[in-house]
Amino acid sequence: MDANWMQDEELSNISKDKLLLINSFLTDTSRMSQKEMLAFIMGVVKKCKEQNIQFSKEEMEQILSVVKKHATEEELSKIEKIMKMQNMMK
C-alpha cells in the first residue's frame, strides 16, 4: 500500500507523527508471517509506551476505516490478522 492513504481528509485531525508510525508499521509487516508479526506488534506496543504515544479509540477507528478503503484484498486479510492478534494481547 502506498502512503497516499495518509492524505485522506478523514485523518486531518490526527498528527502526522502518528500516521507515519502506522504507515511504517503497515510497511514493515507486509511480508511477515503471523509469528513474526506477533513479536513485531509487541515491540511496537512497547515502543509506543516508552515514547508515550497513545491512540484514542476514535483515532484508531478513523485510521482503520481509511486504511481499509485504500488496501488490497491481501492487505485487508493481513489487517484482520493484526487486529485479531492485537485483541489477544489486551
Side-chain angles (χ1 to χ4, degrees):
M1 175 183 330
D2 62 34
N4 288 335
W5 67 270
M6 294 189 300
Q7 306 305 319
D8 195 292
E9 186 64 31
E10 288 182 52
L11 303 175
S12 62
N13 63 326
I14 300 175
S15 78
K16 191 72 163 179
D17 289 339
K18 287 182 178 182
L19 296 176
L20 289 170
L21 177 67
I22 295 293
N23 191 62
S24 174
F25 176 82
L26 292 171
T27 302
D28 291 346
T29 60
S30 66
R31 291 184 175 81
M32 290 183 184
S33 69
Q34 192 167 353
K35 185 177 180 180
E36 292 170 322
M37 272 194 277
L38 183 56
F40 183 77
I41 290 170
M42 292 174 74
V44 170
V45 169
K46 181 180 178 187
K47 181 179 177 182
C48 286
K49 285 181 181 180
E50 289 171 352
Q51 296 180 3
N52 200 30
I53 298 172
Q54 299 176 350
F55 291 88
S56 70
K57 182 177 180 178
E58 292 79 19
E59 287 175 324
M60 285 308 299
E61 288 172 355
Q62 288 175 315
I63 291 169
L64 282 171
S65 173
V66 170
V67 166
K68 287 179 178 182
K69 284 194 309 190
H70 294 269
T72 65
E73 288 298 319
E74 183 180 338
E75 290 166 336
L76 285 172
S77 177
K78 282 263 193 192
I79 291 167
E80 292 302 321
K81 287 179 185 176
I82 290 168
M83 294 309 298
K84 286 179 185 176
M85 284 189 271
Q86 190 265 341
N87 288 333
M88 289 180 349
M89 293 191 303
K90 286 185 177 180

